[in-house]
Amino acid sequence: MDASRADEFEAFVRGRTPALLRAAYLLTGDQHLAEDLVNDALIRTHQVWHRLRDSSPEAYTRKIMYHLQISWWRRRKRSPERLTDLPPEPGAGLRHAVDEQARAVTRLALQDALGHLGARQRAVLVLRYFEDRTESEVAELLGVTVGTVKSQSSKALARLRTVAPHLLDSPISDRKLR
């Protein structure tokens, strides 16, 4: 790889890694697994960077992340788990401490609620409502039908309403939790 391409890739990694990590964290529910997922996806992106730099490298990287996550789910039989680690928190100033605390409580509640979902349901919700993808985009990314996306989304939202009814009154309820 020549120096200009290497510089472009480095700039892409520096600029987009935080957003990729947030999406990966929502998919995996674990900070360390999210980091591994992003690193693996960036390695694959680097391998084809010469073809991607003029198109949409972030879309390619995200698609690789989703496909890798599906592969990880399929390789291991996932046992129900309850997530206990705190999500990554950006530093907050003292004047915003109350708002930050409320957002942290909501994030923890959402993290716990997502932990009650199966891997496919979690992926559908993350892609559909946090990544703001259409049903057909989600279906294509996950390699399933639009009907599967609709049914998994419906079941996941019903499950969230059951395990976390308190989230209905939170700011995330605007994202179709009702």
Side-chain angles (χ1 to χ4, degrees):
M1 182 181 290
D2 64 28
S4 67
R5 286 185 184 172
D7 291 342
E8 289 173 6
F9 182 74
E10 184 177 336
F12 169 73
V13 170
R14 289 185 190 279
R16 299 312 306 153
T17 295
L20 294 171
L21 279 171
R22 285 190 297 272
Y25 182 80
L26 290 171
L27 287 170
T28 63
D30 179 87
Q31 182 65 32
H32 300 290
L33 289 175
E35 290 169 2
D36 289 346
L37 184 62
V38 170
N39 284 337
D40 288 352
L42 287 172
I43 287 168
R44 291 183 184 202
T45 301
H46 181 265
Q47 292 170 343
V48 295
W49 184 255
H50 63 281
R51 291 189 333 234
L52 295 174
R53 66 187 183 130
D54 295 329
S55 61
S56 183
E58 184 172 358
Y60 178 85
T61 305
R62 286 177 182 271
K63 189 170 185 173
I64 292 299
M65 283 173 36
Y66 304 138
H67 286 274
L68 285 171
Q69 182 63 17
I70 290 168
S71 294
W72 292 356
W73 293 331
R74 289 178 179 159
R75 265 188 263 144
R76 67 177 192 271
K77 295 210 180 202
R78 194 173 158 95
S79 62
E81 61 183 54
R82 295 191 53 93
L83 304 174
T84 58
D85 292 337
L86 297 174
E89 294 284 336
L94 291 176
R95 67 178 197 254
H96 299 293
V98 173
D99 289 341
E100 287 296 317
Q101 181 180 9
R103 282 195 291 265
V105 167
T106 301
R107 277 194 296 269
L108 287 171
L110 179 59
Q111 176 187 6
D112 184 55
L114 287 172
H116 290 322
L117 301 177
R120 181 177 284 183
Q121 289 177 346
R122 185 183 313 148
V124 167
L125 288 187
V126 168
L127 291 170
R128 187 79 179 94
Y129 300 110
F130 291 94
E131 294 279 327
D132 202 27
R133 305 265 184 179
T134 66
E135 290 169 340
S136 58
E137 289 174 329
V138 173
E140 182 181 331
L141 284 168
L142 297 179
V144 298
T145 66
V146 172
T148 299
V149 171
K150 289 179 180 181
S151 69
Q152 291 297 305
S153 179
S154 175
K155 290 174 185 176
L157 291 173
R159 178 81 172 137
L160 287 179
R161 286 184 206 104
T162 302
V163 300
H166 55 284
L167 289 176
L168 292 172
D169 298 323
S170 76
I172 66 162
S173 65
D174 294 337
R175 295 189 183 244
K176 307 232 186 221
L177 189 58
R178 292 188 187 274

